[in-house]
Structure formats: structure tokens, C-alpha cells
Amino acid sequence: TSAPKDETEDDQEYPFYTEGSKSLLDARIDIAKYSLVRAAMRIQRAQRRRDDPDEDVNAEMDWTLKQAANLNLEVSEIGDDRPLTGCSFSRDGKRIAT
């Protein structure tokens, strides 16, 4: 069967989309660049986890935060309204963080 003459593609002389502004295009390009970088990092993490199942970034971060909770501020260098440098010793005195 054939379509009636008024519905054929030849009769359409307008674009099927509305062209956006230059600022919209720039924003979409920025979003795409940001998303592509993050997606690449996600893929790399997934590949590392696949290749080395013992590597668990979240568990490593949890361990680091747990270790940092044992630190106490012992000294600081006052140079203005706020400390410029500081260091903390762990409660058992075996570790120091600056």
C-alpha cells in the first residue's frame, strides 16, 4: 500500500528537531566530557576489581578512616587566626600524622 500524498517524506520541508542555542551545546559538551572521564574511571576500577578481587577501595577507605579516628591533635603552629601546620599522634603513640 502507499501512503497518501500529504504524509510522504518529500512533503516535509522542516527539520524534525529544534536546534538549540550555542550555550546549550556548550553545556552539553561540558556534561559529556565530565561524564566520559567519570565513566572511564569507573571502568578502570571495575577492571582492577575483576583482575584483583582482593582490591576493595571501599574497604581500604573504611580502614583508613578507622585508623584516623585514633589520632589526637597534639601540636600545631599558630601563624594567624588558624593553625598553619599540625601533627597528631595515635593513642598508642606508634603513629604520627601531619
Side-chain angles (χ1 to χ4, degrees), residues 67 70-72 74 88-97:
Q67 293 294 321
N70 291 328
L71 298 175
N72 295 319
E74 297 291 334
S88 297
F89 292 95
S90 64
R91 290 196 175 109
D92 61 2
K94 294 181 179 179
R95 296 183 183 91
I96 186 170

Side-chain angles (χ1 to χ4, degrees), residues 13-30:
E13 296 182 16
Y14 57 89
F16 64 95
Y17 64 93
T18 303
E19 192 168 331
S21 66
K22 174 74 171 138
S23 62
L24 177 62
L25 177 64
D26 292 340
R28 287 180 174 172
I29 288 172
D30 290 342

Side-chain angles (χ1 to χ4, degrees), residues 77-94:
E77 180 74 29
I78 305 295
D80 195 16
D81 294 337
R82 61 178 192 256
L84 299 176
T85 61
C87 68
S88 297
F89 292 95
S90 64
R91 290 196 175 109
D92 61 2
K94 294 181 179 179

Side-chain angles (χ1 to χ4, degrees), residues 36-69:
L36 289 172
V37 169
R38 297 202 30 121
M41 289 175 14
R42 237 183 353 264
I43 290 171
Q44 287 175 352
R45 277 196 311 269
Q47 288 172 343
R48 280 197 315 265
R49 284 186 189 139
R50 182 194 64 206
D51 295 340
D52 185 8
D54 293 334
E55 180 180 334
D56 186 1
V57 176
N58 292 332
E60 199 169 316
M61 279 194 284
D62 291 341
W63 180 85
T64 304
L65 291 173
K66 190 175 180 182
Q67 293 294 321

